[in-house]
Amino acid sequence: MHKVLINAYACSPHTGSEPGMAWNWCIHLAKHCELHIVTEGEFRAHIEEALKSLPQAKNMHFYYNPVSEEVRKMCWNQGDWRFYKHYKKWQYKTYQLALKIRKEEQIDIVHQLNMIGFREPGYLWKIQEIPFVWGPIGGLKQFPVNYLKGVSLKMNFFVRLKNFINIKQLQYDKRVNKALKRADVLVSSIPDSYRAIKKYKGLESVVIPETGCFVSKDIQIDRFEKPEFKVIWVGKFDFRKQLPLALKAIEATQNKNIKLHVYGTGTETQETEAKELASTIGIENQILWHGNQPNSVVQDAMNEAQLFFFTSVSEDTSTVVLEALSNCLPVLCFDACGFGYVIYEKVGKKIPLSNPSTSITQFAEQLNYLYNNRDELKRMSHNCIERQRELSWDTKAKTMVELYDKI
């Protein structure tokens, strides 16, 4: 059994996104390996409680490297660039802690697991004579600038600058490049990351989406027979998620039986603007605003809905898309990023990235088509089981262990 030292800044058994992703990687890898996991201390109580009932807990050894509450707030406030200065310091302290662990344990492999953004590779690559794995690696997709319509000039400039900086940082950042060259295995979270690493660095990587599925036991087929068409949208109200586009697509269907259930929130301004838009275009009675809800509530809603509507144009795989598949819920999304990779015609419908007006028309056409073709939705729901197995955490963990074996 391999002894693997894992760097997982964000790791939690009760949270989605990055923390939940790292937790699921670790608990499934621990079925095959002995793990020594360095993480931040925010979720320590939840981790220690979860370990009490986890059969493979004997293979999981946690080491905590906490930061201040102020730094945690910066981390949760996505886009706060001040966080990276503190995050870099955390990574170096983790490297120092890893050196101490190595003196006490016969570590076979070191693995930079998360957070997945490529611009912070940590320092585990500096540890010599032990194979180094980095990934899944994300953050290398380019924002499609055609979808910046309606954002402020400041945000427009910021996104275009970020697109430019991403490539330049991949090309010229010394620490990123040292980590890339040092790695025995590189894992890309999505095809965009694979293509960027191949194009700009000439290096191969393995594509494994950073998040995974749980295999369902039951499929609620009768939900597709109901006359009211319950569509779910989940996310923050930021411009990447394109909630206004989703609202306009609902309006463009001209079908009052389609109800959009919105889970999530944004700033006070974003929430006000979204609700005003729904009222202005005359669909306020078709939109149900649920706000932020516990993950269990969202899961229950997915299990009752007929379709998951995901309008994001720029992120990696997105946990909520895999959660929809886990609930045998067909998905309507863009053919882009990581979700475009995991969703195919057997389990959902995709439209190409183009421009907002074309996308609204194409999404509306798909919404009406699926509303009128419930047997198609049933077929997709059944097919989700097969896709769940292909994208399951167990499958991903076994694939990663195979990579460990090779090196």
Side-chain angles (χ1 to χ4, degrees), residues 42-106:
E42 181 174 3
F43 306 112
R44 181 170 185 166
H46 297 288
I47 290 170
E48 293 179 351
E49 182 62 30
L51 290 176
K52 293 177 182 178
S53 57
L54 197 67
Q56 63 271 41
K58 63 182 184 299
N59 290 332
M60 301 175 72
H61 312 281
F62 280 89
Y63 305 80
Y64 298 96
N65 180 12
V67 299
S68 68
E69 286 296 329
E70 181 183 6
V71 173
R72 287 172 184 165
K73 289 178 182 178
M74 291 179 193
C75 178
W76 286 109
N77 182 22
Q78 294 179 3
D80 190 335
W81 289 86
R82 296 176 301 166
F83 170 69
Y84 281 97
K85 178 181 70 174
H86 301 282
Y87 187 39
K88 184 178 180 181
K89 291 180 179 178
W90 184 91
Q91 292 289 352
Y92 195 78
K93 287 182 180 179
T94 293
Y95 162 64
Q96 293 175 317
L97 178 54
L99 292 177
K100 294 179 181 178
I101 295 169
R102 188 191 175 193
K103 289 180 180 179
E104 299 170 0
E105 301 289 342
Q106 185 60 47

Side-chain angles (χ1 to χ4, degrees), residues 2 109 131 184-185 206 399-407:
H2 300 305
I109 294 167
D184 296 274
V185 171
V206 180
T399 302
M400 189 68 76
V401 171
E402 289 172 2
L403 295 174
Y404 290 167
D405 290 339
K406 286 183 180 180
I407 59 174

Side-chain angles (χ1 to χ4, degrees), residues 304-323:
E304 296 173 357
Q306 287 87 24
L307 184 68
F308 184 64
F309 192 15
F310 192 69
T311 52
S312 177
V313 296
S314 181
E315 55 190 285
D316 282 85
T317 305
S318 183
T319 300
V320 290
V321 172
L322 276 296
E323 289 175 342

Side-chain angles (χ1 to χ4, degrees), residues 114-148:
N114 95 325
M115 298 195 290
I116 69 169
F118 81 96
R119 59 177 48 86
E120 182 46 75
Y123 292 91
L124 294 187
W125 54 270
K126 290 172 68 71
I127 300 175
Q128 299 300 312
E129 299 174 357
I130 299 179
F132 170 61
V133 176
W134 182 12
I137 302 170
L140 284 166
K141 68 273 178 198
Q142 296 284 284
F143 189 96
V145 295
N146 284 349
Y147 292 83
L148 288 173

